[in-house]
Amino acid sequence: QQKVQQSPESLSVPEGGMASLNCTSSDRNFQYFWWYRQHSGEGPKALMSIFSDGDKKEGRFTAHLNKASLHVSLHIRDSQPSDSALYFCAASANSGTYQRFGTGTKLQVVP
Amino acid sequence: NSKVIQTPRYLVKGQGQKAKMRCIPEKGHPVVFWYQQNKNNEFKFLINFQNQEVLQQIDMTEKRFSAECPSNSPCSLEIQSSEAGDSALYLCASSLTGANTEVFFGKGTRLTVV
């Protein structure tokens, strides 16, 4: 039973465009969120975390968290071909010992 | 760049054989995680350690899987009797204080059971 769902499964955006990824936790205990990016042949690399309601911006990446609905989104502006990768949302509990990963979104940025 | 080192990068074993992979966490990170990422890119948490002590592990790792993080030696994950369904990318990660701080992943060991 997957407790962290992501959508869409795959996404194609033009270079310079905006990519929007979504993630929802079905377990109210898991409400601390991370976004990871994984390029082919590599391990995941953390992009950013978000623990409080609202927006958090880091460079071209903006995350938005709604704790009431346990929904988090990631928006990538001015997408670059190098952004093409798998993106994972991960959630942890307040005193969590591990992060629970979502189903992933495959992003392709087309030049 | 992550400094979590995993060896070997690729491992091929026959069914029933033992498979062992190693991980050197980032220096100064006492918390180590092992995840399995299958061919559909789904992650499964296996086990984690704080220093040499197990923090949490799933039921699967209590049977054919064993793991340890001895002092002054690499951490390791071993599958006693490999099955075809164990074919996956095994990812080791480390962090300073646990799941709510940044977790750094290695490149993984890709296990193929033939």
Side-chain angles (χ1 to χ4, degrees), chain A residues 81-98:
Chain A
S82 58
D83 294 327
S84 297
L86 284 167
Y87 287 77
F88 292 96
C89 164
S92 59
N94 184 28
S95 57
T97 54
Y98 73 96

Side-chain angles (χ1 to χ4, degrees), chain B residues 56-74:
Chain B
Q56 192 168 357
Q57 62 182 352
I58 65 164
D59 287 345
M60 181 177 75
T61 60
E62 294 175 10
K63 298 171 183 175
R64 296 181 299 107
F65 288 61
S66 63
E68 62 176 2
C69 273
S71 175
N72 298 319
S73 292

